[in-house]
Amino acid sequence: HYAAATDDGARVYLCDLGTDTIACHRVRPDGLDPTPARELRTRPGAGPRHLALTADGALAAVVEELSNTVAVYALDEPAGERARASTLPRNWRGASAASAIRLHPDGELLYAANRGHDSVAVYRLRRAAPWLEPVGLIDVGGRAPRDIALTPDGAFLLVASQDDHFIRAWRIDPATGLAHAQGQPYPLASPACLCPLP
């Protein structure tokens, strides 16, 4: 469902939502090695959709669409799950599906979008237990946030509200990691992917 390359370009991690696996493929001069160098199994039925790699390639934060969770996986030996947290508030009972995850340029703040609850969950990614610290939720004010992105300077969170047909910028408070809306939404038909340019 999603591919993310390591910073050195040597490996690509692929999320396979249908088989609940994350596969690591080596990059060769003629393309990807078709045989995975490693496969991580997520929890059955979780549905790994998107992932964000830490700069050192040691951890992957994975948003799981079907279970509405964020999980942190160690990629170096011993590989495997280190933490897991819901993307939704405890009292939420409606239908929702997690859609995207992004790691802030500071390497610590982590953002995961919810379609249905129409929010972005914020966490702090730690390098030791408990690994994942929930910070709060941002009500994005638009239906079905299909994708999110961070500007290269880390000052803004961009949210693509697919069903309300706009993109909105949110200014991040560096002290808390939470954000407030900046300016007016930018109209765009069914935005599904955000790729800020450097």
Side-chain angles (χ1 to χ4, degrees):
H1 200 93
Y2 184 78
T6 55
D7 280 357
D8 61 7
R11 293 163 290 153
V12 172
Y13 285 87
L14 304 176
C15 289
D16 191 329
L17 191 149
T19 62
D20 293 315
T21 59
I22 300 162
C24 174
H25 293 260
R26 290 188 179 92
V27 177
R28 306 187 310 196
D30 61 343
L32 291 184
D33 188 331
T35 303
R38 173 185 295 166
E39 283 190 329
L40 294 172
R41 293 275 176 191
T42 65
R43 296 190 183 183
R49 179 179 172 87
H50 279 196
L51 64 82
L53 299 168
T54 55
D56 61 6
L59 299 174
V62 180
V63 70
E64 297 167 333
E65 177 176 355
L66 304 180
S67 61
N68 293 295
T69 48
V70 167
V72 176
Y73 292 91
L75 301 176
D76 297 330
E77 296 298 338
E81 184 184 305
R82 293 293 180 268
R84 170 175 296 272
S86 176
T87 62
L88 299 170
R90 289 185 181 180
N91 61 351
W92 175 255
R93 294 293 179 262
S96 195
S99 60
I101 192 165
R102 300 287 183 242
L103 182 61
H104 192 275
D106 71 4
E108 183 177 322
L109 291 167
L110 192 64
Y111 297 85
N114 293 303
R115 292 170 295 175
H117 189 257
D118 299 333
S119 63
V120 172
V122 185
Y123 311 85
R124 290 194 186 277
L125 179 62
R126 303 300 188 190
R127 295 311 179 96
W131 300 94
L132 199 57
E133 177 189 333
V135 171
L137 287 160
I138 302 167
D139 180 351
V140 298
R143 291 178 300 150
R146 174 73 179 268
D147 198 14
I148 56 176
L150 293 153
T151 54
D153 62 3
F156 294 94
L157 172 71
L158 307 176
V159 180
S161 293
Q162 186 177 31
D163 290 357
D164 277 338
H165 309 289
F166 63 72
I167 296 170
R168 175 171 274 165
W170 295 77
R171 182 177 289 278
I172 294 171
D173 179 343
T176 66
L178 298 174
H180 60 272
Q182 183 78 20
Q184 297 299 311
Y186 179 81
L188 189 66
S190 299
C193 182
L194 295 170
C195 298
L197 299 175

mmCIF file of all heavy atoms in Angstrom, residues 16-68:
data_model
loop_
_atom_site.group_PDB
_atom_site.id
_atom_site.type_symbol
_atom_site.label_atom_id
_atom_site.label_comp_id
_atom_site.label_asym_id
_atom_site.label_seq_id
_atom_site.Cartn_x
_atom_site.Cartn_y
_atom_site.Cartn_z
ATOM 1 N N ASP A 16 2.152 -3.848 3.267
ATOM 2 C CA ASP A 16 1.166 -4.686 2.589
ATOM 3 C C ASP A 16 -0.042 -4.824 3.507
ATOM 4 O O ASP A 16 -0.059 -5.638 4.428
ATOM 5 C CB ASP A 16 1.752 -6.057 2.258
ATOM 6 C CG ASP A 16 0.857 -6.867 1.330
ATOM 7 O OD1 ASP A 16 -0.382 -6.701 1.409
ATOM 8 O OD2 ASP A 16 1.380 -7.663 0.538
ATOM 9 N N LEU A 17 -1.043 -3.981 3.246
ATOM 10 C CA LEU A 17 -2.223 -3.937 4.107
ATOM 11 C C LEU A 17 -2.976 -5.263 4.095
ATOM 12 O O LEU A 17 -3.507 -5.702 5.111
ATOM 13 C CB LEU A 17 -3.121 -2.780 3.648
ATOM 14 C CG LEU A 17 -4.281 -2.370 4.537
ATOM 15 C CD1 LEU A 17 -4.549 -0.888 4.394
ATOM 16 C CD2 LEU A 17 -5.548 -3.137 4.206
ATOM 17 N N GLY A 18 -3.005 -5.943 2.941
ATOM 18 C CA GLY A 18 -3.779 -7.172 2.814
ATOM 19 C C GLY A 18 -3.198 -8.358 3.547
ATOM 20 O O GLY A 18 -3.942 -9.239 4.001
ATOM 21 N N THR A 19 -1.855 -8.396 3.684
ATOM 22 C CA THR A 19 -1.229 -9.539 4.356
ATOM 23 C C THR A 19 -0.679 -9.188 5.740
ATOM 24 O O THR A 19 -0.048 -10.028 6.385
ATOM 25 C CB THR A 19 -0.080 -10.112 3.503
ATOM 26 O OG1 THR A 19 0.937 -9.102 3.345
ATOM 27 C CG2 THR A 19 -0.577 -10.554 2.133
ATOM 28 N N ASP A 20 -0.908 -7.952 6.182
ATOM 29 C CA ASP A 20 -0.428 -7.510 7.494
ATOM 30 C C ASP A 20 1.080 -7.696 7.640
ATOM 31 O O ASP A 20 1.574 -8.184 8.659
ATOM 32 C CB ASP A 20 -1.169 -8.235 8.625
ATOM 33 C CG ASP A 20 -2.630 -7.865 8.688
ATOM 34 O OD1 ASP A 20 -2.935 -6.670 8.597
ATOM 35 O OD2 ASP A 20 -3.472 -8.776 8.803
ATOM 36 N N THR A 21 1.818 -7.309 6.603
ATOM 37 C CA THR A 21 3.275 -7.407 6.666
ATOM 38 C C THR A 21 3.921 -6.098 6.235
ATOM 39 O O THR A 21 3.342 -5.291 5.502
ATOM 40 C CB THR A 21 3.820 -8.533 5.752
ATOM 41 O OG1 THR A 21 3.429 -8.277 4.412
ATOM 42 C CG2 THR A 21 3.337 -9.896 6.193
ATOM 43 N N ILE A 22 5.153 -5.915 6.694
ATOM 44 C CA ILE A 22 6.022 -4.833 6.251
ATOM 45 C C ILE A 22 7.285 -5.507 5.735
ATOM 46 O O ILE A 22 7.973 -6.207 6.490
ATOM 47 C CB ILE A 22 6.346 -3.861 7.391
ATOM 48 C CG1 ILE A 22 5.058 -3.241 7.944
ATOM 49 C CG2 ILE A 22 7.306 -2.779 6.921
ATOM 50 C CD1 ILE A 22 5.223 -2.619 9.297
ATOM 51 N N ALA A 23 7.560 -5.347 4.460
ATOM 52 C CA ALA A 23 8.696 -6.021 3.831
ATOM 53 C C ALA A 23 9.798 -5.022 3.524
ATOM 54 O O ALA A 23 9.536 -3.916 3.062
ATOM 55 C CB ALA A 23 8.249 -6.718 2.549
ATOM 56 N N CYS A 24 11.033 -5.434 3.771
ATOM 57 C CA CYS A 24 12.204 -4.622 3.454
ATOM 58 C C CYS A 24 12.873 -5.218 2.213
ATOM 59 O O CYS A 24 13.244 -6.398 2.209
ATOM 60 C CB CYS A 24 13.166 -4.610 4.630
ATOM 61 S SG CYS A 24 14.725 -3.775 4.283
ATOM 62 N N HIS A 25 13.029 -4.403 1.172
ATOM 63 C CA HIS A 25 13.688 -4.839 -0.060
ATOM 64 C C HIS A 25 14.956 -4.025 -0.277
ATOM 65 O O HIS A 25 14.947 -2.807 -0.109
ATOM 66 C CB HIS A 25 12.762 -4.648 -1.261
ATOM 67 C CG HIS A 25 11.571 -5.542 -1.255
ATOM 68 N ND1 HIS A 25 11.491 -6.692 -2.000
ATOM 69 C CD2 HIS A 25 10.396 -5.460 -0.580
ATOM 70 C CE1 HIS A 25 10.325 -7.284 -1.803
ATOM 71 N NE2 HIS A 25 9.638 -6.556 -0.945
ATOM 72 N N ARG A 26 16.028 -4.694 -0.672
ATOM 73 C CA ARG A 26 17.251 -3.986 -1.023
ATOM 74 C C ARG A 26 17.104 -3.349 -2.406
ATOM 75 O O ARG A 26 16.455 -3.905 -3.280
ATOM 76 C CB ARG A 26 18.437 -4.945 -1.020
ATOM 77 C CG ARG A 26 18.823 -5.430 0.382
ATOM 78 C CD ARG A 26 20.128 -6.212 0.349
ATOM 79 N NE ARG A 26 20.489 -6.655 1.681
ATOM 80 C CZ ARG A 26 20.150 -7.837 2.190
ATOM 81 N NH1 ARG A 26 19.447 -8.689 1.477
ATOM 82 N NH2 ARG A 26 20.519 -8.158 3.410
ATOM 83 N N VAL A 27 17.729 -2.196 -2.562
ATOM 84 C CA VAL A 27 17.722 -1.509 -3.849
ATOM 85 C C VAL A 27 18.956 -1.944 -4.629
ATOM 86 O O VAL A 27 20.088 -1.836 -4.144
ATOM 87 C CB VAL A 27 17.706 0.023 -3.664
ATOM 88 C CG1 VAL A 27 17.770 0.720 -5.012
ATOM 89 C CG2 VAL A 27 16.464 0.445 -2.894
ATOM 90 N N ARG A 28 18.728 -2.446 -5.846
ATOM 91 C CA ARG A 28 19.813 -2.856 -6.729
ATOM 92 C C ARG A 28 19.939 -1.843 -7.872
ATOM 93 O O ARG A 28 19.040 -1.018 -8.062
ATOM 94 C CB ARG A 28 19.526 -4.251 -7.304
ATOM 95 C CG ARG A 28 19.248 -5.294 -6.243
ATOM 96 C CD ARG A 28 19.127 -6.686 -6.819
ATOM 97 N NE ARG A 28 18.217 -6.777 -7.970
ATOM 98 C CZ ARG A 28 17.726 -7.907 -8.437
ATOM 99 N NH1 ARG A 28 18.043 -9.058 -7.857
ATOM 100 N NH2 ARG A 28 16.912 -7.925 -9.475
ATOM 101 N N PRO A 29 21.013 -1.898 -8.640
ATOM 102 C CA PRO A 29 21.152 -0.948 -9.762
ATOM 103 C C PRO A 29 20.004 -1.033 -10.765
ATOM 104 O O PRO A 29 19.653 -0.024 -11.394
ATOM 105 C CB PRO A 29 22.476 -1.371 -10.416
ATOM 106 C CG PRO A 29 23.246 -2.019 -9.311
ATOM 107 C CD PRO A 29 22.231 -2.693 -8.440
ATOM 108 N N ASP A 30 19.374 -2.211 -10.888
ATOM 109 C CA ASP A 30 18.291 -2.373 -11.852
ATOM 110 C C ASP A 30 16.906 -2.346 -11.220
ATOM 111 O O ASP A 30 15.915 -2.672 -11.860
ATOM 112 C CB ASP A 30 18.468 -3.687 -12.628
ATOM 113 C CG ASP A 30 18.439 -4.915 -11.721
ATOM 114 O OD1 ASP A 30 18.603 -4.755 -10.481
ATOM 115 O OD2 ASP A 30 18.238 -6.026 -12.236
ATOM 116 N N GLY A 31 16.808 -1.969 -9.941
ATOM 117 C CA GLY A 31 15.513 -1.905 -9.270
ATOM 118 C C GLY A 31 15.543 -2.586 -7.923
ATOM 119 O O GLY A 31 16.614 -2.814 -7.339
ATOM 120 N N LEU A 32 14.363 -2.912 -7.421
ATOM 121 C CA LEU A 32 14.278 -3.575 -6.116
ATOM 122 C C LEU A 32 14.542 -5.062 -6.240
ATOM 123 O O LEU A 32 14.099 -5.708 -7.196
ATOM 124 C CB LEU A 32 12.874 -3.385 -5.507
ATOM 125 C CG LEU A 32 12.466 -1.998 -5.051
ATOM 126 C CD1 LEU A 32 11.093 -2.050 -4.403
ATOM 127 C CD2 LEU A 32 13.477 -1.414 -4.091
ATOM 128 N N ASP A 33 15.256 -5.599 -5.272
ATOM 129 C CA ASP A 33 15.395 -7.052 -5.169
ATOM 130 C C ASP A 33 14.003 -7.613 -4.915
ATOM 131 O O ASP A 33 13.340 -7.208 -3.962
ATOM 132 C CB ASP A 33 16.330 -7.393 -4.010
ATOM 133 C CG ASP A 33 16.681 -8.871 -3.938
ATOM 134 O OD1 ASP A 33 15.847 -9.701 -4.375
ATOM 135 O OD2 ASP A 33 17.763 -9.201 -3.436
ATOM 136 N N PRO A 34 13.522 -8.529 -5.744
ATOM 137 C CA PRO A 34 12.155 -9.025 -5.564
ATOM 138 C C PRO A 34 11.952 -9.852 -4.298
ATOM 139 O O PRO A 34 10.831 -9.994 -3.814
ATOM 140 C CB PRO A 34 11.905 -9.874 -6.818
ATOM 141 C CG PRO A 34 13.262 -10.232 -7.313
ATOM 142 C CD PRO A 34 14.165 -9.112 -6.927
ATOM 143 N N THR A 35 13.037 -10.383 -3.745
ATOM 144 C CA THR A 35 12.939 -11.171 -2.519
ATOM 145 C C THR A 35 13.208 -10.277 -1.319
ATOM 146 O O THR A 35 14.277 -9.656 -1.235
ATOM 147 C CB THR A 35 13.950 -12.324 -2.524
ATOM 148 O OG1 THR A 35 13.726 -13.128 -3.686
ATOM 149 C CG2 THR A 35 13.811 -13.180 -1.272
ATOM 150 N N PRO A 36 12.269 -10.172 -0.390
ATOM 151 C CA PRO A 36 12.495 -9.306 0.770
ATOM 152 C C PRO A 36 13.707 -9.749 1.586
ATOM 153 O O PRO A 36 13.924 -10.947 1.796
ATOM 154 C CB PRO A 36 11.213 -9.447 1.589
ATOM 155 C CG PRO A 36 10.197 -9.990 0.651
ATOM 156 C CD PRO A 36 10.954 -10.821 -0.339
ATOM 157 N N ALA A 37 14.477 -8.772 2.034
ATOM 158 C CA ALA A 37 15.585 -9.074 2.943
ATOM 159 C C ALA A 37 15.059 -9.388 4.333
ATOM 160 O O ALA A 37 15.692 -10.119 5.096
ATOM 161 C CB ALA A 37 16.540 -7.881 3.002
ATOM 162 N N ARG A 38 13.879 -8.837 4.634
ATOM 163 C CA ARG A 38 13.256 -9.057 5.951
ATOM 164 C C ARG A 38 11.780 -8.767 5.841
ATOM 165 O O ARG A 38 11.358 -7.905 5.065
ATOM 166 C CB ARG A 38 13.897 -8.136 6.985
ATOM 167 C CG ARG A 38 13.205 -8.160 8.338
ATOM 168 C CD ARG A 38 13.790 -7.152 9.291
ATOM 169 N NE ARG A 38 15.156 -7.474 9.615
ATOM 170 C CZ ARG A 38 15.994 -6.633 10.214
ATOM 171 N NH1 ARG A 38 15.602 -5.427 10.526
ATOM 172 N NH2 ARG A 38 17.228 -6.985 10.485
ATOM 173 N N GLU A 39 10.982 -9.463 6.617
ATOM 174 C CA GLU A 39 9.550 -9.181 6.715
ATOM 175 C C GLU A 39 9.159 -9.091 8.176
ATOM 176 O O GLU A 39 9.544 -9.925 8.979
ATOM 177 C CB GLU A 39 8.715 -10.268 6.034
ATOM 178 C CG GLU A 39 8.691 -10.177 4.530
ATOM 179 C CD GLU A 39 7.676 -11.119 3.911
ATOM 180 O OE1 GLU A 39 7.422 -12.190 4.496
ATOM 181 O OE2 GLU A 39 7.144 -10.773 2.851
ATOM 182 N N LEU A 40 8.404 -8.041 8.497
ATOM 183 C CA LEU A 40 7.845 -7.892 9.836
ATOM 184 C C LEU A 40 6.358 -8.182 9.768
ATOM 185 O O LEU A 40 5.665 -7.697 8.863
ATOM 186 C CB LEU A 40 8.051 -6.468 10.357
ATOM 187 C CG LEU A 40 9.482 -6.032 10.622
ATOM 188 C CD1 LEU A 40 9.520 -4.545 10.937
ATOM 189 C CD2 LEU A 40 10.081 -6.825 11.774
ATOM 190 N N ARG A 41 5.861 -8.938 10.703
ATOM 191 C CA ARG A 41 4.437 -9.242 10.775
ATOM 192 C C ARG A 41 3.779 -8.294 11.758
ATOM 193 O O ARG A 41 4.200 -8.170 12.904
ATOM 194 C CB ARG A 41 4.210 -10.677 11.246
ATOM 195 C CG ARG A 41 4.675 -11.717 10.248
ATOM 196 C CD ARG A 41 3.611 -11.978 9.248
ATOM 197 N NE ARG A 41 4.061 -12.908 8.225
ATOM 198 C CZ ARG A 41 3.414 -13.151 7.132
ATOM 199 N NH1 ARG A 41 2.266 -12.528 6.894
ATOM 200 N NH2 ARG A 41 3.869 -13.990 6.240
ATOM 201 N N THR A 42 2.728 -7.611 11.287
ATOM 202 C CA THR A 42 1.939 -6.804 12.202
ATOM 203 C C THR A 42 0.849 -7.691 12.802
ATOM 204 O O THR A 42 0.739 -8.869 12.450
ATOM 205 C CB THR A 42 1.312 -5.602 11.481
ATOM 206 O OG1 THR A 42 0.378 -6.069 10.512
ATOM 207 C CG2 THR A 42 2.384 -4.772 10.781
ATOM 208 N N ARG A 43 0.053 -7.150 13.678
ATOM 209 C CA ARG A 43 -1.009 -7.947 14.291
ATOM 210 C C ARG A 43 -2.062 -8.300 13.241
ATOM 211 O O ARG A 43 -2.369 -7.481 12.371
ATOM 212 C CB ARG A 43 -1.630 -7.203 15.465
ATOM 213 C CG ARG A 43 -0.632 -6.986 16.585
ATOM 214 C CD ARG A 43 -1.281 -6.470 17.831
ATOM 215 N NE ARG A 43 -0.272 -6.202 18.851
ATOM 216 C CZ ARG A 43 -0.547 -5.790 20.068
ATOM 217 N NH1 ARG A 43 -1.808 -5.588 20.445
ATOM 218 N NH2 ARG A 43 0.425 -5.567 20.938
ATOM 219 N N PRO A 44 -2.603 -9.504 13.298
ATOM 220 C CA PRO A 44 -3.600 -9.916 12.306
ATOM 221 C C PRO A 44 -4.774 -8.935 12.237
ATOM 222 O O PRO A 44 -5.332 -8.551 13.263
ATOM 223 C CB PRO A 44 -4.046 -11.295 12.806
ATOM 224 C CG PRO A 44 -2.889 -11.804 13.598
ATOM 225 C CD PRO A 44 -2.297 -10.582 14.255
ATOM 226 N N GLY A 45 -5.113 -8.517 11.016
ATOM 227 C CA GLY A 45 -6.230 -7.611 10.825
ATOM 228 C C GLY A 45 -5.916 -6.154 11.072
ATOM 229 O O GLY A 45 -6.802 -5.299 10.939
ATOM 230 N N ALA A 46 -4.659 -5.818 11.407
ATOM 231 C CA ALA A 46 -4.308 -4.420 11.707
ATOM 232 C C ALA A 46 -4.345 -3.562 10.444
ATOM 233 O O ALA A 46 -4.806 -2.431 10.461
ATOM 234 C CB ALA A 46 -2.935 -4.342 12.366
ATOM 235 N N GLY A 47 -3.833 -4.084 9.342
ATOM 236 C CA GLY A 47 -3.851 -3.338 8.082
ATOM 237 C C GLY A 47 -2.817 -2.235 8.011
ATOM 238 O O GLY A 47 -3.185 -1.057 7.943
ATOM 239 N N PRO A 48 -1.506 -2.552 7.998
ATOM 240 C CA PRO A 48 -0.490 -1.496 7.902
ATOM 241 C C PRO A 48 -0.647 -0.718 6.598
ATOM 242 O O PRO A 48 -0.632 -1.290 5.515
ATOM 243 C CB PRO A 48 0.833 -2.280 7.939
ATOM 244 C CG PRO A 48 0.483 -3.660 7.489
ATOM 245 C CD PRO A 48 -0.921 -3.899 7.956
ATOM 246 N N ARG A 49 -0.811 0.592 6.710
ATOM 247 C CA ARG A 49 -1.120 1.420 5.541
ATOM 248 C C ARG A 49 0.044 2.317 5.132
ATOM 249 O O ARG A 49 0.430 2.349 3.984
ATOM 250 C CB ARG A 49 -2.368 2.266 5.836
ATOM 251 C CG ARG A 49 -2.777 3.184 4.693
ATOM 252 C CD ARG A 49 -4.026 3.970 5.044
ATOM 253 N NE ARG A 49 -4.317 4.983 4.059
ATOM 254 C CZ ARG A 49 -5.029 4.788 2.956
ATOM 255 N NH1 ARG A 49 -5.523 3.587 2.707
ATOM 256 N NH2 ARG A 49 -5.251 5.764 2.103
ATOM 257 N N HIS A 50 0.555 3.108 6.060
ATOM 258 C CA HIS A 50 1.678 4.019 5.802
ATOM 259 C C HIS A 50 2.705 3.838 6.910
ATOM 260 O O HIS A 50 2.363 3.422 8.027
ATOM 261 C CB HIS A 50 1.224 5.479 5.831
ATOM 262 C CG HIS A 50 0.578 5.943 4.569
ATOM 263 N ND1 HIS A 50 0.392 7.277 4.286
ATOM 264 C CD2 HIS A 50 0.080 5.273 3.507
ATOM 265 C CE1 HIS A 50 -0.203 7.406 3.119
ATOM 266 N NE2 HIS A 50 -0.410 6.203 2.631
ATOM 267 N N LEU A 51 3.951 4.222 6.625
ATOM 268 C CA LEU A 51 4.966 4.195 7.679
ATOM 269 C C LEU A 51 5.898 5.383 7.531
ATOM 270 O O LEU A 51 6.019 5.978 6.460
ATOM 271 C CB LEU A 51 5.743 2.880 7.686
ATOM 272 C CG LEU A 51 6.615 2.480 6.503
ATOM 273 C CD1 LEU A 51 7.980 3.125 6.535
ATOM 274 C CD2 LEU A 51 6.777 0.967 6.486
ATOM 275 N N ALA A 52 6.536 5.710 8.643
ATOM 276 C CA ALA A 52 7.545 6.771 8.685
ATOM 277 C C ALA A 52 8.789 6.192 9.331
ATOM 278 O O ALA A 52 8.706 5.566 10.395
ATOM 279 C CB ALA A 52 7.035 7.967 9.487
ATOM 280 N N LEU A 53 9.935 6.369 8.681
ATOM 281 C CA LEU A 53 11.198 5.856 9.182
ATOM 282 C C LEU A 53 11.959 6.950 9.929
ATOM 283 O O LEU A 53 11.964 8.108 9.502
ATOM 284 C CB LEU A 53 12.067 5.356 8.027
ATOM 285 C CG LEU A 53 11.509 4.211 7.194
ATOM 286 C CD1 LEU A 53 12.340 4.031 5.931
ATOM 287 C CD2 LEU A 53 11.466 2.924 8.004
ATOM 288 N N THR A 54 12.618 6.575 11.021
ATOM 289 C CA THR A 54 13.505 7.519 11.686
ATOM 290 C C THR A 54 14.734 7.733 10.806
ATOM 291 O O THR A 54 15.063 6.899 9.953
ATOM 292 C CB THR A 54 13.918 7.025 13.080
ATOM 293 O OG1 THR A 54 14.508 5.721 12.966
ATOM 294 C CG2 THR A 54 12.711 6.951 14.010
ATOM 295 N N ALA A 55 15.422 8.845 10.999
ATOM 296 C CA ALA A 55 16.557 9.203 10.140
ATOM 297 C C ALA A 55 17.651 8.143 10.170
ATOM 298 O O ALA A 55 18.313 7.905 9.152
ATOM 299 C CB ALA A 55 17.113 10.554 10.555
ATOM 300 N N ASP A 56 17.826 7.495 11.312
ATOM 301 C CA ASP A 56 18.870 6.472 11.412
ATOM 302 C C ASP A 56 18.412 5.104 10.918
ATOM 303 O O ASP A 56 19.195 4.150 10.880
ATOM 304 C CB ASP A 56 19.388 6.361 12.844
ATOM 305 C CG ASP A 56 18.307 5.966 13.845
ATOM 306 O OD1 ASP A 56 17.158 5.666 13.435
ATOM 307 O OD2 ASP A 56 18.601 5.965 15.051
ATOM 308 N N GLY A 57 17.139 4.997 10.528
ATOM 309 C CA GLY A 57 16.621 3.735 10.021
ATOM 310 C C GLY A 57 16.405 2.663 11.067
ATOM 311 O O GLY A 57 16.139 1.507 10.740
ATOM 312 N N ALA A 58 16.480 3.029 12.342
ATOM 313 C CA ALA A 58 16.347 2.029 13.397
ATOM 314 C C ALA A 58 14.894 1.715 13.739
ATOM 315 O O ALA A 58 14.586 0.612 14.204
ATOM 316 C CB ALA A 58 17.074 2.504 14.652
ATOM 317 N N LEU A 59 13.987 2.682 13.529
ATOM 318 C CA LEU A 59 12.585 2.510 13.905
ATOM 319 C C LEU A 59 11.669 2.870 12.746
ATOM 320 O O LEU A 59 11.994 3.724 11.925
ATOM 321 C CB LEU A 59 12.221 3.406 15.102
ATOM 322 C CG LEU A 59 12.942 3.201 16.423
ATOM 323 C CD1 LEU A 59 12.530 4.290 17.401
ATOM 324 C CD2 LEU A 59 12.648 1.822 16.993
ATOM 325 N N ALA A 60 10.528 2.202 12.730
ATOM 326 C CA ALA A 60 9.449 2.559 11.807
ATOM 327 C C ALA A 60 8.195 2.786 12.629
ATOM 328 O O ALA A 60 7.833 1.947 13.474
ATOM 329 C CB ALA A 60 9.211 1.460 10.787
ATOM 330 N N ALA A 61 7.544 3.920 12.404
ATOM 331 C CA ALA A 61 6.232 4.172 13.003
ATOM 332 C C ALA A 61 5.207 3.881 11.913
ATOM 333 O O ALA A 61 5.280 4.444 10.819
ATOM 334 C CB ALA A 61 6.124 5.611 13.480
ATOM 335 N N VAL A 62 4.275 2.991 12.206
ATOM 336 C CA VAL A 62 3.340 2.489 11.206
ATOM 337 C C VAL A 62 1.916 2.832 11.613
ATOM 338 O O VAL A 62 1.522 2.580 12.773
ATOM 339 C CB VAL A 62 3.479 0.958 11.056
ATOM 340 C CG1 VAL A 62 2.514 0.421 10.004
ATOM 341 C CG2 VAL A 62 4.917 0.587 10.710
ATOM 342 N N VAL A 63 1.147 3.421 10.686
ATOM 343 C CA VAL A 63 -0.268 3.637 10.951
ATOM 344 C C VAL A 63 -1.019 2.453 10.349
ATOM 345 O O VAL A 63 -0.789 2.061 9.214
ATOM 346 C CB VAL A 63 -0.780 4.988 10.407
ATOM 347 C CG1 VAL A 63 -0.837 5.029 8.897
ATOM 348 C CG2 VAL A 63 -2.131 5.334 10.998
ATOM 349 N N GLU A 64 -1.895 1.869 11.172
ATOM 350 C CA GLU A 64 -2.629 0.672 10.788
ATOM 351 C C GLU A 64 -4.092 1.042 10.589
ATOM 352 O O GLU A 64 -4.779 1.430 11.537
ATOM 353 C CB GLU A 64 -2.424 -0.404 11.848
ATOM 354 C CG GLU A 64 -0.950 -0.801 11.927
ATOM 355 C CD GLU A 64 -0.575 -1.628 13.133
ATOM 356 O OE1 GLU A 64 -1.255 -1.522 14.180
ATOM 357 O OE2 GLU A 64 0.409 -2.381 13.043
ATOM 358 N N GLU A 65 -4.522 0.956 9.342
ATOM 359 C CA GLU A 65 -5.813 1.484 8.925
ATOM 360 C C GLU A 65 -6.988 0.795 9.604
ATOM 361 O O GLU A 65 -7.936 1.448 10.049
ATOM 362 C CB GLU A 65 -5.954 1.349 7.408
ATOM 363 C CG GLU A 65 -7.287 1.808 6.869
ATOM 364 C CD GLU A 65 -7.369 1.743 5.354
ATOM 365 O OE1 GLU A 65 -6.372 1.425 4.701
ATOM 366 O OE2 GLU A 65 -8.459 2.014 4.819
ATOM 367 N N LEU A 66 -6.965 -0.518 9.647
ATOM 368 C CA LEU A 66 -8.146 -1.260 10.096
ATOM 369 C C LEU A 66 -8.293 -1.279 11.606
ATOM 370 O O LEU A 66 -9.415 -1.299 12.120
ATOM 371 C CB LEU A 66 -8.105 -2.683 9.539
ATOM 372 C CG LEU A 66 -7.982 -2.767 8.008
ATOM 373 C CD1 LEU A 66 -7.943 -4.215 7.552
ATOM 374 C CD2 LEU A 66 -9.119 -2.008 7.335
ATOM 375 N N SER A 67 -7.189 -1.281 12.330
ATOM 376 C CA SER A 67 -7.250 -1.277 13.799
ATOM 377 C C SER A 67 -7.176 0.125 14.381
ATOM 378 O O SER A 67 -7.268 0.289 15.601
ATOM 379 C CB SER A 67 -6.130 -2.141 14.374
ATOM 380 O OG SER A 67 -4.864 -1.631 13.985
ATOM 381 N N ASN A 68 -6.981 1.154 13.523
ATOM 382 C CA ASN A 68 -6.861 2.539 13.992
ATOM 383 C C ASN A 68 -5.803 2.659 15.083
ATOM 384 O O ASN A 68 -6.067 3.128 16.192
ATOM 385 C CB ASN A 68 -8.218 3.063 14.486
ATOM 386 C CG ASN A 68 -9.212 3.197 13.363
ATOM 387 O OD1 ASN A 68 -9.025 3.997 12.456
ATOM 388 N ND2 ASN A 68 -10.265 2.396 13.393
#
